[in-house]
Amino acid sequence: MTFNPQFLDFVRHHGFSVHPCTPGRANEKGRVERVIRDVKDFLPVDPCQDLQEVNRKVSLWRQERNQRVHRSTEKRPIDLLKEEKLKPLPQIPYSPHQVLRSLISKTGFIEFDTNRYSAPSSFSEASCELLVYPEYVEIWVKGKRVARHPRSFDRKQKIEDPSHREKLLQITPHFKAKRIYQLMNRMDRSVASFLGEAEADGQDPMEVAHELFRLLTRSSKASFSPPSGGKRFEGLQGQIPSESPSARQGRPEQPVHPQNPQLLNITYPGRSLKDYDNLI
């Protein structure tokens, strides 16, 4: 019998055993399949927009079902749960993801499930690993994460981070301005709204998009949040900390701290230079 390797990794993480049913013996798995059928019947009549809504609705449905008296045991599942003596879940949660090996295209994209996700232009044509999670995807090159995007469940979409296109600053002015405007306008709704307000205020939207792009390349995407309410671009510049691309690449994503914080306060007494004169 062959098991899915990722499922075995899940089994080892949670520390439980697997006992496969005998093929063709429906009586060995009837109760398990009944629950699966109930879940399948529940979802079509209560559609969900995303995974978070699925988990929330299924959790409420599960709590309601656990309060019902079971026809076989004539007891509520929530009461029988106390007799199960289950092990607690691991303190470190399992990270469910799929690892796929791929190649970043010449234009700086990687395709998954018909959708295209951007990577920094400097990694074009590089071999990479795509880590696919339920809610997002990550692109790794040589053990380093170079991109992270929300996962799209639509078809043939292009998910692009404008900061991945820093080389656009070196292209001809007319094409650069138009391309940067397209990138920033598609970045998210808040940016598109800000550009629309700037145009209504009499500003050149392409010029504003270009300045936003320059600020984005000097800051992290997480800290980039354009104001709304018709504010002019000048009010945004002081809200985003300046940071060079080289400094961004050298910054560790998760700083390491010693278990004993006092080690950070160790000092050494200075030594007089006269001590070294005696060695001459």
Side-chain angles (χ1 to χ4, degrees):
M1 181 171 292
T2 303
F3 289 95
N4 183 295
Q6 190 164 2
F7 173 66
L8 292 180
D9 184 61
F10 179 84
V11 170
R12 285 190 291 267
H13 180 85
H14 289 90
F16 64 88
S17 302
V18 180
H19 301 283
C21 296
T22 306
R25 296 286 185 88
N27 62 303
E28 295 184 9
K29 53 184 178 178
R31 291 183 180 179
V32 175
E33 291 187 343
R34 174 62 183 267
V35 176
I36 296 174
R37 189 198 69 181
D38 290 346
V39 173
K40 287 183 177 180
D41 291 342
F42 164 77
L43 292 177
V45 298
D46 198 353
C48 303
Q49 297 295 325
D50 50 37
L51 185 61
Q52 289 83 359
E53 188 176 1
V54 171
N55 289 332
R56 181 177 61 82
K57 289 185 176 180
V58 171
S59 178
L60 294 174
W61 172 81
R62 175 178 53 82
Q63 294 175 26
E64 187 271 331
R65 290 294 297 266
N66 283 339
Q67 298 288 342
R68 296 183 186 179
V69 175
H70 195 274
R71 63 181 181 181
S72 298
T73 62
E74 297 183 351
K75 294 182 180 180
R76 300 186 308 168
I78 194 171
D79 296 327
L80 292 176
L81 184 62
K82 301 174 183 178
E83 304 176 9
E84 290 286 345
K85 298 180 181 180
L86 299 176
K87 296 180 180 178
L89 291 174
Q91 293 186 358
I92 300 176
Y94 184 74
S95 178
H97 65 274
Q98 182 181 9
V99 180
L100 303 173
R101 297 188 180 277
S102 187
L103 184 71
I104 301 174
S105 69
K106 292 181 180 180
T107 54
F109 285 92
I110 182 171
E111 184 172 332
F112 169 70
D113 224 5
T114 75
N115 296 312
R116 299 168 66 215
Y117 297 89
S118 69
S121 301
S122 55
F123 294 101
S124 297
E125 299 187 276
S127 299
C128 69
E129 289 184 336
L130 183 69
L131 276 59
V132 183
Y133 295 84
E135 300 174 351
Y136 56 89
V137 297
E138 294 182 346
I139 301 174
W140 288 70
V141 177
K142 296 181 178 180
K144 178 183 178 182
R145 189 181 72 188
V146 300
R148 174 171 171 165
H149 298 279
R151 181 176 176 179
S152 174
F153 289 93
D154 293 329
R155 306 286 291 178
K156 298 183 179 179
Q157 299 297 309
K158 182 166 68 173
I159 299 90
E160 189 169 17
D161 182 349
S163 65
H164 292 164
R165 302 297 174 249
E166 293 186 29
K167 288 185 177 180
L168 288 174
L169 297 176
Q170 306 170 7
I171 303 177
T172 55
H174 177 72
F175 175 80
K176 175 179 67 177
K178 184 177 180 180
R179 182 76 174 97
I180 288 177
Y181 174 79
Q182 294 174 346
L183 284 170
M184 298 304 298
N185 196 48
R186 291 199 305 259
M187 181 177 175
D188 59 42
R189 293 180 181 178
S190 63
V191 176
S193 175
F194 180 72
L195 292 175
E197 292 172 0
E199 185 175 12
D201 192 42
Q203 303 177 70
D204 184 349
M206 288 193 181
E207 183 178 339
V208 174
H210 181 266
E211 293 302 321
L212 289 175
F213 178 78
R214 290 175 63 88
L215 286 176
L216 180 60
T217 59
R218 298 200 303 267
S219 65
S220 65
K221 186 180 179 183
S223 66
F224 186 84
S225 180
S228 59
K231 295 183 180 180
R232 296 186 68 84
F233 171 74
E234 289 77 6
L236 175 66
Q237 291 176 308
Q239 299 183 18
I240 300 180
S242 177
E243 183 180 29
S244 66
S246 59
R248 221 171 37 244
Q249 293 177 0
R251 184 185 65 242
E253 296 182 359
Q254 296 181 347
V256 177
H257 298 282
Q259 293 183 355
N260 182 2
Q262 297 300 323
L263 294 176
L264 298 176
N265 300 323
I266 294 179
T267 58
Y268 297 91
R271 188 164 185 170
S272 174
L273 295 179
K274 293 182 179 180
D275 296 339
Y276 296 97
D277 293 338
N278 297 330
L279 300 176
I280 300 176

